[in-house]
Amino acid sequence: MNDQTFMKEQPVSRLLWKMSLPMVISMMVNSLYNIVDSYYVAQISEKAMTALSLVYPVQNLVNAVTIGFGVGLNAVISYHLGAQESRKADQAASQGFLLSLIHGIALTVISIWIMPVFLPLFTSDAEVISLGVRYSRVVFLFATVISMTLFYEKLFQSVGRMAVSMFCMMCGCIANIILDPVLIYGYGPFPVMGIEGAALATGIGQVLTLILYLAVHAVRPLQVNAHIRQMGLTKDMCRRLYGIGIPAVLNLALPSLLTSALNAILAGYSQIYVVVLGVYYKLQTFLYLPANGIVQGMRPLIGYNYGAKEQERVRRIYRTALGAIILIMGLGTVLCLAIPEPLMGLFAESQETVGAGAKALRIICAGFLVSSVSVTTCGALEGLGMGGPSLRISLLRYAVVMIPAAWLLSLAFGAEGVWHAFWISELLTAVASVFILRKAMPRQD
């Protein structure tokens, strides 16, 4: 356990940088993968890009379940490490392993089964539906791999070994980037696979990431481990894991609900706006994934220091992370105002789509800076093991404010009203986040 004491001894700024930088780098590479993947799919056809946009909410839901449960696992393990309770940390890891495996198998079956029913809800174009189903059948075969990869990612992060996460994630993303054109267009000995090739490239990259985690774990074991003899599920540990994990899952799943709701609203005006929304969500990963890297570095630090009863240090970690995320969001705002057309042009061919997308980016980016408050606060509350307050913030941000605002403003201003709903929702949620954090922040003697 002594190996983790650096989490409460090193200066906060240096420590957060040390913990977050590997995750920011890996998130940026992951962003690049998302952009490159979408770029190659867009070269197939605009309908292929539309199909990818419609599949995105379900992909996001799969990620939400696996990452959200991992957040709960990370928080519980970090807390027990800070409290010097090694046996309970091992118990959390062991039961987390079994539950992650169960989640992965269930997600594989459900995701493949639901897509032929899900896609026709948002389009009547037979070609778009066919492309979406073909992509889904391949990409969701790897849901179990994703679930186990996220288990090991959060396990390594809980003990502060962020460099390992960076290495494994980057290797998987780079492999994906290389394989995308090879499998889509059939370079060398490979057949032309089209949109299925993009899905297979994604799956192979995920398999590589998991293999690397397993190899590193075998060569350099962690201070906390999953043991078969401790995999018997207990009521108390499951309650703790899901008590944090379920709100985190809902936090991450809410964007899927939002995307589906916005697709339904925008489809009533033009399919172009559905494409614009899909492209926006691809572009915003360049901001929110690096910000998530900061949050991932912050969570175990807050959990460990809370377990060690270092209350003032918890507050300093939060303030430092908030400042870093504000810088990231500020850069994104400048780019969206300065070069919106070139950004949209990466994924859209028609001038009408590029023009509509550029206008959307200029409006939406007004909410980037204030979103830093809710993003940081949600991560801090999850690190403290307070999933309920974190969920309340996300409900405000993605559902309670955003969806009604988008619908009402679209009635008054058309599709443009949906874009204005983004910054209005971010502003109101940021204000609410301040009050929620003050009320929820625990006091320790």
Side-chain angles (χ1 to χ4, degrees):
M1 293 296 105
N2 290 334
D3 290 345
Q4 272 67 58
T5 56
F6 71 91
M7 292 191 189
K8 68 173 184 178
E9 293 173 353
Q10 291 186 8
V12 167
S13 295
R14 182 194 309 167
L15 183 58
L16 183 64
W17 183 253
K18 176 181 177 180
M19 295 283 283
S20 298
L21 183 59
M23 300 316 302
V24 170
I25 294 173
S26 59
M27 292 293 99
M28 288 298 291
V29 174
N30 194 42
S31 297
L32 179 61
Y33 142 67
N34 281 319
I35 296 297
V36 172
D37 190 58
S38 297
Y39 172 80
Y40 283 119
V41 170
Q43 302 311 302
I44 298 173
S45 70
E46 191 161 294
K47 288 190 176 183
M49 187 62 199
T50 302
L52 211 62
S53 299
L54 294 176
V55 173
Y56 172 79
V58 180
Q59 283 185 284
N60 192 58
L61 182 60
V62 171
N63 290 332
V65 173
T66 55
I67 296 172
F69 182 74
V71 168
L73 179 68
N74 186 307
V76 173
I77 292 176
S78 296
Y79 176 86
H80 287 307
L81 291 177
Q84 303 297 301
E85 297 171 342
S86 59
R87 182 179 174 278
K88 288 186 176 180
D90 283 349
Q91 187 182 31
S94 302
Q95 295 186 35
F97 179 94
L98 177 60
L99 291 169
S100 295
L101 182 61
I102 293 171
H103 297 160
I105 294 171
L107 287 168
T108 299
V109 175
I110 293 171
S111 299
I112 293 175
W113 171 76
I114 201 173
M115 291 312 296
V117 179
F118 177 80
L119 291 172
L121 297 176
F122 304 97
T123 180
S124 58
D125 190 313
E127 185 178 354
V128 171
I129 294 172
S130 175
L131 287 166
V133 170
R134 285 161 51 193
Y135 179 83
S136 301
R137 284 174 180 167
V138 177
V139 81
F140 290 131
L141 280 176
F142 297 91
T144 304
V145 174
I146 295 173
S147 185
M148 298 313 299
T149 298
L150 263 297
F151 165 79
Y152 280 103
E153 176 185 308
K154 299 307 178 185
L155 190 65
F156 274 90
Q157 290 176 10
S158 68
V159 299
R161 290 178 64 176
M162 303 302 200
V164 174
S165 287
M166 177 185 72
F167 171 74
C168 295
M169 291 173 67
M170 286 181 63
C171 288
C173 289
I174 292 171
N176 196 343
I177 291 170
I178 294 172
L179 288 172
D180 256 334
V182 172
L183 297 179
I184 290 173
Y185 304 121
Y187 294 154
F190 298 94
V192 177
M193 298 183 67
I195 199 167
E196 289 98 331
L200 183 59
T202 298
I204 293 173
Q206 292 160 348
V207 170
L208 176 61
T209 300
L210 178 57
I211 290 172
L212 290 173
Y213 272 124
L214 293 172
V216 174
H217 189 272
V219 174
R220 295 185 60 193
L222 302 174
Q223 293 83 5
V224 57
N225 289 284
H227 304 287
I228 294 179
R229 64 180 180 275
Q230 291 183 305
M231 285 186 187
L233 302 179
T234 63
K235 184 177 179 180
D236 180 64
M237 186 56 70
C238 286
R239 183 170 58 247
R240 291 201 62 195
L241 291 171
Y242 283 114
I244 305 169
I246 289 177
V249 169
L250 294 175
N251 284 344
L252 294 163
L254 283 171
S256 294
L257 171 65
L258 173 61
T259 304
S260 297
L262 295 184
N263 278 337
I265 294 171
L266 293 169
Y269 294 96
S270 171
Q271 199 73 24
I272 286 176
Y273 297 119
V274 174
V275 176
V276 168
L277 184 67
V279 172
Y280 162 70
Y281 276 116
K282 294 293 181 181
L283 290 171
Q284 60 109 41
T285 59
F286 263 124
L287 297 178
Y288 286 103
L289 283 184
N292 186 47
I294 301 289
V295 170
Q296 289 193 50
M298 174 186 67
R299 277 199 203 104
L301 293 178
I302 283 183
Y304 187 95
N305 282 275
Y306 178 47
K309 302 187 183 301
E310 295 284 344
Q311 179 69 5
E312 180 54 35
R313 192 170 169 85
V314 168
R315 296 179 187 276
R316 292 205 306 272
I317 292 168
Y318 171 82
R319 290 193 295 266
T320 304
L322 176 60
I325 292 175
I326 286 174
L327 288 176
I328 293 173
M329 295 301 170
L331 177 61
T333 303
V334 171
L335 289 175
C336 286
L337 289 174
I339 54 169
E341 287 86 0
L343 290 175
M344 287 299 303
L346 292 172
F347 308 105
E349 296 178 355
S350 73
Q351 288 302 309
E352 186 179 2
T353 302
V354 171
K359 187 174 184 179
L361 287 182
R362 290 192 183 98
I363 297 171
I364 293 172
C365 73
F368 285 171
L369 281 172
V370 291
S371 73
S372 304
V373 178
S374 54
V375 169
T376 310
T377 302
C378 279
L381 290 168
E382 289 166 351
L384 292 168
M386 306 188 73
S390 175
L391 177 59
R392 285 197 290 275
I393 293 172
S394 292
L395 281 170
L396 287 171
R397 187 179 179 204
Y398 294 115
V400 176
V401 177
M402 180 64 190
I403 294 177
W407 178 66
L408 291 172
L409 290 172
S410 71
L411 295 179
F413 306 104
E416 185 176 329
V418 174
W419 314 137
H420 282 288
F422 277 87
W423 68 263
I424 292 172
S425 175
E426 295 291 6
L427 178 60
L428 295 177
T429 303
V431 173
S433 297
V434 174
F435 291 100
I436 292 173
L437 180 63
R438 286 178 179 175
K439 183 178 180 181
M441 182 65 79
R443 298 184 181 276
Q444 295 177 328
D445 297 328

